[in-house]
Amino acid sequence: MSASDADGLPERLDGAVPSDQLGAVTPPGQLDGDGLSNRLDIDGLPERLDGVAPSDPLGAAVPPQQLDIDGLVARLGLPGLVDVHTHFMPQNVLDKVWAYFDAVGPLTGISWPITYREEEERRLALLRGFGVVAFTAMLYPHKPGMAAWLNSWAADFAARTPDCLHTATLFPEPGADAYVHQALDAGARVFKVHLQVGDFDPNLPELDGAWGALEDSGTPVVVHCGSGPSPGRFTGPGPMGRLLARYPRLRAIVAHMGMPEYGDFLDLAQRYEGVHLDTTMAFTDFSERLAPFPGTERARLVDLGDRILLGSDFPNIPYPYGHQLHALERLGLGDDWLRRVLYENGAALFHVKP
């Protein structure tokens, strides 16, 4: 796939309303019947949930508690942060993603201002300025013929960005086995799979060889498999649970803590020792208004404290980066837990050296 093919990106990313799984156009507020759509159909959300108009992320308009990252890192005695869920991708693809958010696309259904809409070098400088010493380039296809091209771009990005964990992706299509092996041979350290945007069952036979290779190599795979912010045909714990039953040694990182099916994905983490969860957008004011984390599950965050990883969704977040860290700190689970989540767990999983 050439870069120009991204101009055909996707119904979900170019602002058009996607069809539902039966072929009918689905209004944003009618995506399920279990109450999730009601949580998403919120009137009057402010431009930023801290009540402050968007500004330069380093500007004085942002509350200090959301930006005192250096102080938190120093207090915890950490060499920095390991963020396993950040997005870098070809600019024409990222432009389509941003246009989708700007258009209040049906998969979000709410206003979602991009706080860090900057050119690539500025985004890298900002992330490093926040103290992030290792991060990913999460990217994902929405149709056949796209994954191998994205993997080629990501390999080049990793080669010129030493602090980026070489990231790759996959899609259920002929040849997936071959390009997953190729990416692994080229040094890929983490994969991203997006079941909501890709709209596919992870158990399709076209992916059997790919999952087998990832399981055998122990390569972590960040999977958007929860039903937030809107459910898809193959989101929720069912498809992922069936995949893990077939590949029980797979190192799966459940994106967004499995939002909103938090408890179900915590169950999978307790059942399979290779399952981790990333904190991306979880516990923030933004997500707590849409899909609050159940207080009854908080104790399990401690029990699974060695398998929870910092994720942020930078740059595509509607609040300052520091708010994710503040949201984790205010859980009150202790400094040892924070050290593991913000640095130690990710450093151990990806062999990051101080």
Side-chain angles (χ1 to χ4, degrees):
M1 176 178 175
S2 68
S4 62
D5 289 337
D7 293 338
L9 264 177
E11 290 183 355
R12 297 176 193 79
L13 298 181
D14 63 8
V17 178
S19 298
D20 71 6
Q21 291 72 36
L22 299 179
V25 172
T26 306
Q30 299 179 5
L31 284 167
D32 71 355
D34 64 2
L36 177 62
S37 59
N38 292 332
R39 293 201 296 274
L40 296 174
D41 186 15
I42 297 176
D43 295 326
L45 272 177
E47 286 189 82
R48 288 256 284 275
L49 292 178
D50 56 17
V52 178
S55 64
D56 185 281
L58 301 179
V62 178
Q65 68 177 9
Q66 297 186 339
L67 280 178
D68 189 18
I69 299 172
D70 289 346
L72 176 63
V73 171
R75 180 174 68 77
L76 295 174
L78 297 176
L81 307 170
V82 175
D83 189 336
V84 305
H85 196 134
T86 63
H87 292 283
F88 289 89
M89 56 186 68
Q91 189 60 49
N92 56 340
V93 178
L94 188 58
D95 286 342
K96 293 288 187 179
V97 173
W98 286 347
Y100 179 84
F101 283 106
D102 291 343
V104 190
L107 291 184
T108 59
I110 58 174
S111 176
W112 195 304
I114 305 295
T115 300
Y116 299 102
R117 193 191 303 263
E118 306 281 352
E119 57 86 24
E120 185 177 282
E121 286 304 315
R122 171 66 172 159
R123 280 181 274 125
L124 286 169
L126 284 166
L127 201 57
R128 291 162 178 157
F130 297 147
V132 178
V133 296
F135 54 92
T136 56
M138 298 281 102
L139 68 183
Y140 41 84
H142 67 282
K143 61 183 179 181
M146 193 175 175
W149 169 65
L150 289 173
N151 288 350
S152 177
W153 181 91
D156 177 73
F157 181 76
R160 57 187 167 87
T161 315
D163 41 353
C164 177
L165 302 171
H166 182 171
T167 309
T169 189
L170 55 79
F171 194 83
E173 59 188 329
D177 185 357
Y179 65 65
V180 166
H181 277 92
Q182 183 179 16
L184 290 171
D185 290 343
R189 299 170 70 183
V190 60
F191 275 66
K192 170 62 186 276
V193 176
H194 205 311
L195 302 183
Q196 184 189 55
V197 170
D199 191 33
F200 62 85
D201 187 336
N203 295 285
L204 288 172
E206 292 92 334
L207 292 176
D208 286 350
W211 292 126
L214 293 170
E215 182 184 51
D216 290 343
S217 66
T219 304
V221 188
V222 177
V223 188
H224 187 127
C225 45
S227 297
S230 297
R233 284 195 298 170
F234 305 107
T235 60
M240 199 65 196
R242 290 190 289 275
L243 180 70
L244 289 165
R246 298 170 59 221
Y247 300 96
R249 295 180 292 110
L250 187 68
R251 285 185 171 175
I253 301 173
V254 176
H256 304 278
M257 297 292 297
M259 183 187 311
E261 296 105 339
Y262 301 106
D264 294 321
F265 285 105
L266 288 168
D267 287 345
L268 288 177
Q270 289 186 314
R271 189 174 309 149
Y272 298 101
E273 64 181 17
V275 173
H276 296 64
L277 305 101
D278 79 37
T279 67
T280 304
M281 296 190 74
F283 316 111
T284 64
D285 294 349
F286 187 87
S287 295
E288 285 294 288
R289 293 193 182 194
L290 307 180
F293 186 86
T296 55
E297 301 288 2
R298 186 167 296 192
R300 291 212 279 175
L301 298 178
V302 177
D303 295 340
L304 292 166
D306 60 343
R307 282 190 277 147
I308 298 174
L309 307 163
L310 173 64
S312 68
D313 237 352
F314 176 91
N316 304 330
I317 46 177
Y319 44 75
Y321 187 91
H323 180 53
Q324 177 73 74
L325 308 183
H326 173 65
L328 294 171
E329 185 180 30
R330 71 185 178 188
L331 289 172
L333 300 180
D335 286 355
D336 287 343
W337 185 87
L338 272 178
R339 289 187 190 96
R340 292 197 296 270
V341 171
L342 298 185
Y343 178 81
E344 293 171 359
N345 294 342
L349 186 62
F350 291 105
H351 309 290
V352 174
K353 302 300 182 184

